[in-house]
Structures are given as C-alpha cells and as structure tokens.
Amino acid sequence: MPLQLNFQPEVKSALEQGRAVVALESTVITHGLPSPENVEVARAIEAAVREQGAVPATIAILGGEITVGLTPEQLLYLGSAKNVRKCSRRDFSGVVARREDGATTVAGTMMVAHWAGIRIFATGGIGGVHRGQPFDESADLLELGRTPVAVVCAGAKAILDLPLTLEVLETQGVPVIGYQTDEFPAFYSRSSGLPLELRVETPQEIAAIIKAHDQLGLNAGTLIAQPIPAEAEWPAAEAQEVIEEALQDAAARHITGKAVTPYLLQRVSDLSGARSKTANIALLLNNARLAAQIALALTG
Ligand code: PSU
Ligand code: MN
C-alpha cells in the first residue's frame, strides 16, 4: 500500500475478517448523474450490495485523503460539493498534495480497490475509445491492463467506439466475460452485435475464472459484462439519434480531454430525459447485485 488509506470501520473489519466487500466508484455520483438524484442512486447501489450480504465500499478522495467506504454524510457532501476533480491514475498526486476532493473513475477506483485489498468492483459503464478520436482512449482501459481488480459493468456506452474498445482490451490482456450473454453489451442496450468468446452463466463460474487469473499471476483486470435488464433497455436504434446529436454538440463546442465523457453523459441525459436515466439506474443496481454475488462466491 503506497500511503495511508482512510477506511470506514465497517469496511476495515469486513476486510480483516475476509468477508465479501464490493468497491464502488464516485465519478458516477459527481460527473455521471444529476444532483440530487445522484446521492439517492448511490445509496440505492450500496443497499443493493448489502441485500446480497456483502459490504459496499464507495471510494473517493476527500480533502486529499483516499477514503475507502463513505459515511452517509460524506456521500451527501460529495453529491453536492463543487470542484470535485475527476480522478484517474494521473490525477491522484495533484489532488492528494493539494488536499482537494476527488471522485474516482473506473481507473481510479481500481487502483484504490487494489491497494485496499478489494478484489471486485461494480460500475455502470467503463470508458473506452472515443468515436472518430482513436487517440482519446480512456485511462480505464490501460488500468484494466495493469491492475488485478475485477470490474462488473454493462459494457460501454454507444457514445464510444465499441469495436476499438474491445481491440484495446484484447491488446491489454483483459479477459472480457459475458454474463449470460454472447455479445458485448452496449450499456443502454443489451446487444452491440460484437461477439465475446467467454460466456458464463453463474457468479460461481466468474469467481473460478478470477481465482485462476490470480493463481496464474496475471497482473491485469478482468471485465465482467452484464446486459442491462430487458425491461429497462433503451434499444440501440432509438438511442442512436440522441447519441449522434450529443457527439455533434461536443465537436461543435470543442470539448476535449477529461471533460469529453461527462459532457456526453450530460448531453445524452438532457436530450433523452427519463429514458436514459431509468436505464442507467437499473443497470447500476443490477451490476451491484452481481458484483456482491461474485464477492460472496470468492470468499465462500
Ligand atoms: N460511463 C458511464 N457513466 C460514467 C462514466 C462512464 O456510463 O459515469 C465515468 C466512469 O467513472 C468512467 C469515466 O471511469 O466516466 C471515464 O472517463 P474517461 O472517458 O474520461 O476516461
Ligand atoms: Mn479521454
């Protein structure tokens, strides 16, 4: 562990006792969902992990302290705080040194989960390669290539270039496991038309793959892709129009760097209203449940 981590006592004792713990990210709270609903959703995600019998550990940087497991007050603070920096690998040193607040992305959360000894992490969608911008490649993909944490997601959003995203995951040596699917899911939609080689039916099978991954000493992440529940799906053909418009707006406004993804998420949400939000929340809860089941299978 490179430096002091600030553990919430419940998370600390669960880890010491070898009980099931699921890491959760905080960028989805600060940059992915609108306030004040973001805090409600974050609470519901934690509750979904608990219902399965695991302990949630939402990760963030508060006043420069890397925090593993947030109190309800800390969660509320983060959900409305201004100037929270979005933190992937390169952002940590600046935020810690200056004692700022930081929300961890998939990449940032994987780093902290690994330091903390948490093997599994639930999120909504991972970052990927941006459409028409092959050099704008999310730090999430490179972190998956170097940090042994298993990430449960609903695939990646169709705002991204999904075929190129899968190519980078292959290059990085990241197993992509389809949970009850033969295809890489496309976040809002269950299917992308992109086949996966590894399909599993149960959390126990996923736990067995993670264990083999560890025994082989493969210092890389594992990606578990679970399609959004059918009843909450926003079919690709319908989402497409909104996504195209959001991409055009981002280009017209010359949005660059780490602002691209939050801008696109916000724009899609504004243009589609409840449609994207309902889908987003449903898949977040579904992924939290599956991650908890895998965590239990790993400890059992
Ligand atoms: N995709 C979503 N919702 C999100 C994100 C991605 O559907 O909230 C967030 C995650 O925290 C992810 C980050 O790690 O955006 C990726 O940002 P970038 O593309 O700048 O790496
Ligand atoms: Mn980027």
Side-chain angles (χ1 to χ4, degrees):
M1 209 182 289
L3 71 150
Q4 195 69 35
L5 299 181
N6 191 0
F7 283 92
Q8 200 204 320
E10 184 196 14
V11 173
K12 177 110 198 144
S13 66
L15 288 169
E16 281 167 2
Q17 293 163 19
R19 285 163 49 213
V21 176
V22 174
L24 299 166
E25 65 153 306
S26 45
T27 295
V28 66
I29 306 173
T30 56
H31 294 71
L33 291 164
S35 170
E37 224 166 353
N38 55 354
V39 174
E40 281 167 45
V41 175
R43 284 195 191 119
I45 295 170
E46 291 195 346
V49 170
R50 284 186 202 287
E51 275 161 28
Q52 301 295 319
V55 174
T58 303
I59 288 168
I61 308 177
L62 298 172
E65 293 209 22
I66 301 179
T67 307
V68 183
L70 301 184
T71 64
E73 295 73 33
Q74 287 171 331
L75 194 64
L76 193 61
Y77 167 76
L78 198 69
S80 53
K82 300 275 173 279
N83 305 320
V84 181
R85 278 190 203 275
K86 176 181 159 192
C87 291
S88 291
R89 178 169 283 264
R90 77 158 182 185
D91 307 290
F92 273 61
S93 6
V95 170
V96 167
R98 295 176 164 183
R99 304 194 184 288
E100 293 173 346
D101 296 325
T104 51
T105 61
V106 168
T109 307
M110 287 182 75
M111 290 167 55
V112 178
H114 181 52
W115 291 334
I118 304 173
R119 192 67 188 77
I120 182 125
F121 156 33
T123 186
I126 59 161
V129 180
H130 283 268
R131 284 210 221 166
Q133 310 281 337
F135 289 101
D136 185 355
E137 186 177 301
S138 174
D140 294 354
L141 301 180
L142 300 184
E143 203 60 47
L144 279 159
R146 68 201 284 182
T147 301
V149 168
V151 181
V152 179
C153 69
K157 270 205 178 78
I159 56 171
L160 298 166
D161 188 318
L162 299 182
L164 284 189
T165 298
L166 283 175
E167 293 290 350
V168 173
L169 288 168
E170 181 184 352
T171 306
Q172 291 292 322
V174 180
V176 182
I177 304 173
Y179 183 67
Q180 299 178 350
T181 182
D182 296 310
E183 278 183 41
F184 191 56
F187 194 85
Y188 297 125
S189 348
R190 290 176 61 82
S191 97
S192 65
L194 300 165
L196 294 178
E197 283 178 39
L198 202 52
R199 173 186 175 134
V200 305
E201 306 301 325
T202 67
Q204 288 70 27
E205 281 177 83
I206 299 170
I209 294 171
I210 293 171
K211 279 185 183 159
H213 197 72
D214 285 346
Q215 278 159 4
L216 291 166
L218 302 170
N219 282 316
T222 311
L223 194 64
I224 297 121
Q226 165 171 247
I228 183 172
E231 66 276 12
E233 183 179 25
W234 187 21
E238 287 175 35
Q240 204 51 39
E241 210 175 307
V242 164
I243 286 165
E244 291 293 346
E245 190 172 343
L247 288 167
Q248 280 167 20
D249 291 347
R253 288 167 168 257
H254 308 291
I255 310 284
T256 57
K258 69 202 276 189
V260 173
T261 297
Y263 178 83
L264 291 172
L265 297 180
Q266 176 71 47
R267 201 68 196 114
V268 169
S269 161
D270 288 348
L271 291 169
S272 80
R275 202 74 184 83
S276 71
K277 204 167 57 188
T278 313
N280 209 339
I281 295 170
L283 66 85
L284 281 164
L285 297 177
N286 205 38
N287 292 345
R289 281 189 287 267
L290 177 59
Q293 289 162 6
I294 299 166
L296 285 159
L298 280 169
T299 55

